[in-house]
Amino acid sequence: MTTQDQPAVSPPADTSLANRYGGQKRTLPRGAKRGIAVAALAAGVAFMAWVSTSNAVSAVTFKDIGFSTVDATQAEIDFQVTREPGTAVKCAVKALDSKFAVVGWKVVDIPLGEADKTADGGRTTAQRVAVRTESLSVSGVVDNCWVPGSGK
């Protein structure tokens, strides 16, 4: 048998881990790691500042005070609204039945000059709103308050 008749033998496969799984990964330099950490921290602080100031500058807040059912067709809802002096506000109030279904709904205009003489400089106004209902209501709440035209 000649060398041409012999089957070709492949060289043995290199079984080292580097050849099998690739070489060692290069790590980031210490300065790059520090830069990424500082950038992430700055982004987190900026986000927290934005969240806290966007909530603090909210133009209108409201608080449910009370509720009474006049009869099966009417409910009265008492609430307070706090806003910047000289700002007109709209509030949506709703009356609910025992299954929390809305049985009455009304949007109320709170004009400029209506403010209690309170310690907060006239920012807070108390409201009592009569809401027509389609059946007996068991509670009444303010759904939302906003400054018209502000987009909020």
Side-chain angles (χ1 to χ4, degrees), residues 77-99:
I77 301 167
D78 298 319
F79 61 98
Q80 288 181 339
V81 177
T82 303
R83 74 320 176 65
E84 290 298 319
T87 305
V89 173
K90 290 187 178 231
C91 291
V93 294
K94 61 185 178 180
L96 306 171
D97 68 5
S98 60
K99 296 179 182 174

Side-chain angles (χ1 to χ4, degrees), residues 83 88-91 106-112 114 127 146 148:
R83 74 320 176 65
V89 173
K90 290 187 178 231
C91 291
K106 186 174 186 177
V107 175
V108 182
D109 289 316
I110 302 172
L112 297 176
E114 292 187 23
Q127 299 290 313
W146 65 94

